[in-house]
Amino acid sequence: MIKFGPGNLRIPRFERPVYLVAGGMTDFRKKYFEKNTSQLCTEALRMAVEENDLKVDAEEFRRMVNWCVYSQFADHFGDQLLAASKIHDYLGFDPLGNIEVKTGGATGGSSVLAAAQAVASGYASCVPIVGWERMDDVSTKVGNSYIASAACKDFESELGWMYAAYYALMAQRYQYENQVPHETLAKIACKNHEYAYYSPFSQNPGKYTVQDVLKNEIVSDPLTFLECCVMSVGSAVLIMCDEETAYKLSDTPIKLAAICGGTHTLRTADRRDMPILLLPNETEATYASFKGGRRREWPGFSSFLAARMAAYLAYNMAGIKDPVEDFDILETHDAFTISDIQTYEDIGLRPYGRGREFIESGECYFDGKLPTNLSGGLIGTMHAVGATGIFQIIEILWQMQGKYDKFHGNPEMWTRYGKKKPADWKSLQLKNPKRGCAISHAGTGSHVTCAILEKP
Amino acid sequence: MDWPTSCLEVIQEEPLTVKNPKTWHHTHSYGGWGKFFQGLRESKLLATRCTNPACGEKRLFLPPRCDCVDCWHPTEWVEAPQVGTIYTHSTVTYPGELFKLPPGTPLISIEIEGVCTKLMSWLKEGKPEFGMKVKAVFNTKNPTNTILDLAWVPA
Ligand SMILES: [Zn+2]
């Protein structure tokens, strides 16, 4: 499917508005033997319901819920099929209906999409979205092998048993076509590790220099360890409602203006050339000299059609004309530094081939035009896969509700996770962000969702 | 009745953490793709092309597809050229469990004329470069019956 017919590019719409009211999460760790999965999910749900200034108590909230969405990437890791049923029971939601969503690394984003479809259609009015991943049952080496079984097992997994290698193949090609200095990629790693440093939830915080990243050990050339996401255990829970319920629960609900999904082949190898799908801030002229006029040579290994498709639909659904102008905050799926640059282009922050400018210009920093991954992202804070897309949206929600400091700056949040708030902690609370965007991403771009949050 | 004798090894007591062993195999049929892997044993690189005269695409696919992705009609087997160029490459330092290639083996993606995909494979000899011409070699003596039975060397 690469020749679009009129039905293929229909812009989705919600039949009624969808709101986000609260979020909660655990901290994220490489190993979390202290708690079983149902404990982690309960802890995240409790934070969402009890620590987000809701106007109802926990008991009243329980009586309002009418549908649940569960988000876990890999049954391999948890070694428990139908885990959602067990979590649903332990959270006390039986016999309400639920659904478990699975789309690899984008599972979190897809779960939010599934919940939005339920609320927007009128099927449900109050939906907890519960995500988690338990990646500490096996060694890192086996874990990487499990993750690589989310590549094509017949024709690709055997070649590396390592997702970083599949991304490295894209990275090398991107670099061959665009010659981005490794220093620029390293800056993304430094930024996200640093922002993770201000988060009590983070697994891999640190203040690194560009040199630290460049001298770091290589996983699969050119990617170093510090440029790759962490492997995490933890949970994240988001509460989604219709308008009436949202205002019953909260004085500061945030609107989910859009969430849309796109896909592309599981094997990067099978991505056939097509003309670039243009975003609202691009025209034919934008790509007049793309690859020397070869605009059809797209997406190749340098771009994610799934991300472009998701952004195309979501931008048109939410009336976004120019993402850098219209968004005040962004969370990308920074699984690897290189894929972050690719994503900048896919979602139209810069035209294809010029993604590096988004970081080099300073726009993506806390004090820049479009602060990106203030959460610390997947590189610095977490990638407990089923929780990831939910975690991103919670971090934006908190920012828009002015709650960054409440959840990141309170010393008690740090002691809760056995940590000490750093003496040089700084607040990353933005001044009144009005519109935010979160990108959830799977495979080497097999599924991508684009969510747009807006202050009502 | 006796208690079972196979006990789980205790990793730690607080909280109680045990080791769950897993030692079975999965039976996997390649189904319609089997011919591709059998072809590798005979030094054949088998791709597929749509047989529907009305199909607007009829591209040559490698990895093969039993049915055309553009019209859902059955495909037929066609031998692909055994020469190509390196589209991209990377050498994985820390592969995952089950990795069977020698350490330091370059992984490559190959562009082949007339083929609409960029097959992932590995370079058996030499140092990979973008655009480097390579030719296919096959593990015919002691095949693994996996995609690893195909590799490339400088042409
Ligand atoms: Zn066909």
Side-chain angles (χ1 to χ4, degrees):
Chain A
M1 166 59 73
I2 54 169
K3 279 185 208 149
F4 294 119
N8 303 137
L9 291 175
R10 174 187 173 273
I11 306 305
R13 67 165 184 267
F14 292 156
E15 291 296 333
R16 58 177 191 163
V18 175
Y19 285 82
L20 303 170
V21 298
M25 60 183 78
T26 61
D27 64 328
F28 298 95
R29 305 182 189 184
K30 175 82 194 239
K31 285 182 193 293
Y32 219 142
F33 292 148
E34 292 81 355
K35 290 168 189 171
N36 63 47
T37 308
S38 64
Q39 286 178 286
L40 293 169
C41 292
T42 309
E43 187 177 313
L45 177 68
R46 212 159 44 212
M47 181 190 282
V49 176
E50 295 182 357
E51 297 183 54
N52 278 263
D53 314 306
L54 295 188
K55 296 189 280 185
V56 302
D57 64 17
E59 179 53 27
E60 208 174 327
F61 174 78
R62 285 161 75 94
R63 293 183 201 187
M64 294 167 81
V65 173
N66 35 48
W67 180 246
C68 298
V69 178
Y70 292 99
S71 177
Q72 182 206 15
F73 154 58
D75 290 326
H76 285 49
F77 276 105
D79 198 18
Q80 168 71 65
L81 271 71
L82 212 46
S85 171
K86 206 159 145 185
I87 302 297
H88 193 62
D89 164 21
Y90 276 76
L91 295 180
F93 286 130
D94 280 314
L96 304 177
N98 77 48
I99 192 167
E100 186 177 0
V101 173
K102 283 198 176 352
T103 60
T107 297
S110 298
S111 295
V112 176
L113 172 57
Q117 288 166 342
V119 172
S121 67
Y123 184 90
S125 67
C126 184
V127 184
I129 307 159
V130 180
W132 73 91
E133 209 71 45
R134 167 118 247 153
M135 306 179 87
D136 57 352
D137 264 26
V138 293
S139 69
T140 304
K141 216 173 164 185
V142 173
N144 276 316
S145 186
Y146 277 178
I147 295 168
S149 50
C152 170
K153 76 171 186 178
D154 294 292
F155 299 102
E156 287 191 342
S157 297
E158 287 284 357
L159 296 152
W161 285 107
M162 182 69 181
Y163 243 95
Y166 312 140
Y167 269 89
L169 288 168
M170 302 184 86
Q172 295 277 49
R173 182 69 200 187
Y174 184 93
Q175 288 291 52
Y176 175 72
E177 289 174 3
N178 299 293
Q179 296 94 36
V180 177
H182 203 166
E183 285 76 5
T184 298
L185 296 174
K187 279 183 190 167
I188 298 174
C190 295
K191 171 175 77 71
N192 297 354
H193 284 290
E194 189 198 329
Y195 293 162
Y197 181 83
Y198 307 120
S199 170
F201 307 106
S202 71
Q203 181 180 329
N204 200 5
K207 291 191 173 175
Y208 296 101
T209 64
V210 165
Q211 281 309 310
D212 292 334
V213 176
L214 297 182
K215 285 187 192 141
N216 194 233
E217 254 194 294
I218 285 172
V219 181
S220 193
D221 69 321
L223 297 169
T224 66
F225 276 97
L226 285 169
E227 292 178 88
C228 300
C229 56
V230 289
M231 200 186 277
S232 314
V233 184
S235 172
V237 173
L238 184 65
I239 311 293
M240 183 186 283
C241 302
D242 68 341
E243 189 168 82
E244 190 191 336
T245 314
Y247 282 97
K248 208 177 281 173
L249 285 173
S250 167
D251 290 328
T252 56
I254 299 297
K255 201 168 169 180
L256 183 67
I259 180 164
C260 300
T263 62
H264 211 187
T265 60
L266 183 59
R267 292 191 298 261
T268 323
D270 288 44
R271 296 181 183 167
R272 289 181 279 169
D273 289 348
M274 63 178 280
I276 297 171
L277 178 64
L278 299 173
L279 292 181
N281 59 329
E282 297 175 339
T283 64
E284 299 281 340
T286 313
Y287 294 109
S289 59
F290 179 69
K291 291 186 183 176
R294 300 193 305 276
R295 201 192 123 191
R296 264 200 81 90
E297 284 186 24
W298 183 82
F301 278 30
S302 295
S303 310
F304 299 114
L305 170 57
R308 175 52 63 118
M309 182 74 185
Y312 173 88
L313 296 174
Y315 289 5
N316 281 296
M317 183 175 172
I320 301 300
K321 296 281 175 250
D322 181 337
V324 177
E325 293 298 328
D326 296 350
F327 296 141
D328 304 313
I329 179 169
L330 170 68
E331 288 282 327
T332 58
H333 184 99
D334 56 325
F336 304 96
T337 50
I338 188 76
S339 58
D340 219 39
I341 293 218
Q342 292 171 274
T343 301
Y344 300 159
E345 301 174 0
D346 296 319
I347 64 171
L349 307 182
R350 286 293 188 281
Y352 283 111
R354 289 170 48 192
R356 59 188 279 188
E357 293 171 18
F358 183 60
I359 180 132
E360 288 169 350
S361 67
E363 281 171 33
C364 63
Y365 288 89
F366 170 64
D367 50 7
K369 205 167 176 187
L370 179 52
T372 301
N373 291 0
L374 297 180
S375 68
L378 285 66
I379 285 178
T381 294
M382 64 81 84
H383 194 16
V385 187
T388 303
I390 299 168
F391 154 86
Q392 295 175 308
I393 291 178
I394 293 171
E395 289 276 354
I396 294 179
L397 172 72
W398 284 345
Q399 281 276 0
M400 293 177 90
Q401 293 179 323
K403 289 180 178 165
Y404 178 89
D405 291 1
K406 175 185 162 97
F407 288 106
H408 303 83
N410 182 350
E412 282 171 21
M413 286 302 304
W414 293 79
T415 47
R416 184 183 291 187
Y417 305 124
K419 300 174 183 175
K420 201 170 170 293
K421 185 179 166 185
D424 55 348
W425 182 86
K426 85 173 188 194
S427 171
L428 299 180
Q429 175 65 54
L430 297 170
K431 286 191 194 81
N432 195 23
K434 289 193 176 62
R435 212 182 270 129
C437 175
I439 304 296
S440 188
H441 175 118
T444 53
S446 71
H447 298 71
V448 176
T449 63
C450 173
I452 298 172
L453 283 70
E454 215 172 67
K455 259 192 190 162
Chain B
M1 299 286 238
D2 283 335
W3 294 103
T5 53
S6 86
C7 338
L8 296 188
E9 185 188 326
V10 172
I11 310 248
Q12 60 180 27
E13 278 294 333
E14 290 304 327
L16 184 59
T17 308
V18 295
K19 211 181 237 184
N20 277 331
K22 305 242 165 170
T23 48
W24 51 77
H25 67 258
H26 279 231
T27 302
H28 177 51
S29 165
Y30 287 120
W33 302 326
K35 202 172 162 67
F36 167 84
F37 293 95
Q38 289 160 335
L40 298 181
R41 299 177 192 156
E42 297 160 24
S43 301
K44 281 185 185 157
L45 191 52
L46 292 174
T48 55
R49 194 189 300 279
C50 179
T51 54
N52 177 10
C55 179
E57 290 287 338
K58 296 175 79 85
R59 309 272 199 110
L60 198 56
F61 273 90
L62 186 67
R65 292 173 182 250
C66 305
D67 300 294
C68 175
V69 69
D70 297 302
C71 74
W72 304 327
H73 276 247
T75 58
E76 64 185 358
W77 294 97
V78 179
E79 273 203 61
Q82 298 196 359
V83 290
T85 54
I86 293 183
Y87 181 74
T88 188
H89 62 86
S90 176
T91 301
V92 54
T93 323
Y94 289 92
E97 192 72 43
L98 302 175
F99 187 67
K100 298 172 189 77
L101 296 169
T105 302
L107 304 179
I108 52 176
S109 298
I110 307 288
E111 258 188 316
I112 301 168
E113 207 175 326
V115 174
C116 71
T117 53
K118 300 176 186 81
L119 183 70
M120 195 192 287
S121 191
W122 58 290
L123 189 68
K124 200 163 175 293
E125 289 167 23
K127 193 175 161 291
E129 308 272 357
F130 286 90
M132 187 170 119
K133 287 200 163 44
V134 287
K135 63 176 185 201
V137 289
F138 302 87
N139 179 7
T140 52
K141 286 210 180 92
N142 190 19
T144 64
N145 301 303
T146 70
I147 190 67
L148 302 183
D149 289 340
L150 169 69
W152 302 76
V153 297

